[in-house]
Structure formats: structure tokens, C-alpha cells
Amino acid sequence: MSTELEQTEIAEPSRWRAFRDAITERPTLNLAYRIVVGVVGLAVLILGIAAIPYPGPGWVIVFAGLGILATEFAWAREALGWLRHRYDKFMAWFAARGLFVQACAAIGTCLIVLATLWLLGTFGMVGGWIGVESKWLLSPLTW
């Protein structure tokens, strides 16, 4: 037996569903809405991918970007499900590898972060602030 709340939800679409249905009825507005969702979702996804090797919520941002895209695109819904499954499997595998593999991954992550900071010229900039001028602090991109 369904409750009164469930019957109300079946009878009346949610505000979001009603809003989305109103947009869908107007083809030009629907196209514009889908383009905006695509651009925003893609921007969040790219930001998340760039943030993966760094400490912080890189994977959360990736999943958020795919979640935004999944609201409008079937391929993104499928990709989100596939990626979530692969991520869970990888994390289970990684947790089972032991401390040595986890420490190697942490060291590798630190090396990636340091290399990126060096390439972006962060060390040379901070060195200049504190009066340490050395050629090896400078990014090879600025030599």
C-alpha cells in the first residue's frame, strides 16, 4: 500500500521535473539549457581531472562534473556508472595491496605535485619572495 506522500508525488511532478518539462517544451530554450549544462559539466570535469594527482577532492570533482553532465546526457550517465564501478574496484584493490604499495603511491603523488609546482614556476616565485635566488628553482619553461 502506498502512503499519502507517495500518491502525492506520483500525482504531482516535483518542482524540478515541472521546470525541466517547461524547458523541454521550447526547443530553442531546451538546446540552450543543454549547451549550458554541457559547458558547465565539462568545465567541472576538466577541473576534476586536473586535480586528481593533487591532495584534495579531485575524484569528487570528477564525479560532480559527470553528475552534472548526467542530468542531460545518457552517455554521461553510463560513464558515471562505469567510472564509479571501476573506482570502487581500484580502491578495493589498492587497499588490499598493503602499506608498501600505498607508500609508493603517496611518494609518487608527492613527486607529481612537486614537478608540477616546479614547472609552473612556483618555487622560483616563492624563492624570490624570501630572497633565495637559484637557477634550479626556476621553471624550465621560463629559462
Side-chain angles (χ1 to χ4, degrees):
M1 299 196 131
S2 61
T3 65
E4 186 176 319
L5 179 60
E6 289 173 348
Q7 289 174 351
T8 303
E9 289 177 358
I10 292 170
E12 299 175 23
S14 68
R15 283 183 176 176
W16 174 253
R17 187 74 255 157
F19 170 75
R20 191 61 191 99
D21 288 343
I23 290 176
T24 303
E25 291 173 2
R26 299 175 64 190
T28 304
L29 184 59
N30 187 44
L31 178 62
Y33 179 81
R34 288 175 58 92
I35 289 171
V36 168
V37 168
V39 169
V40 170
L42 191 59
V44 172
L45 180 62
I46 290 170
L47 179 67
I49 290 170
I52 287 172
Y54 299 99
W59 280 107
V60 172
I61 298 170
V62 168
F63 286 122
L66 277 174
I68 291 168
L69 291 169
T71 63
E72 289 300 314
F73 304 103
W75 64 265
R77 278 188 291 280
E78 292 175 19
L80 182 59
W82 181 85
L83 185 60
R84 185 179 298 154
H85 175 70
R86 295 289 178 202
Y87 177 80
D88 290 341
K89 281 181 68 172
F90 175 76
M91 292 311 290
W93 173 87
F94 185 68
R97 293 304 117 203
L99 188 58
F100 178 74
V101 172
Q102 293 172 4
C104 287
I107 291 168
T109 299
C110 287
L111 291 174
I112 289 171
V113 170
L114 291 173
T116 305
L117 291 174
W118 177 61
L119 285 172
L120 293 175
T122 306
F123 295 137
M125 180 177 65
V126 172
W129 292 346
I130 60 175
V132 177
E133 304 277 335
S134 178
K135 185 157 177 79
W136 68 269
L137 288 176
L138 298 176
S139 169
L141 302 177
T142 61
W143 289 346

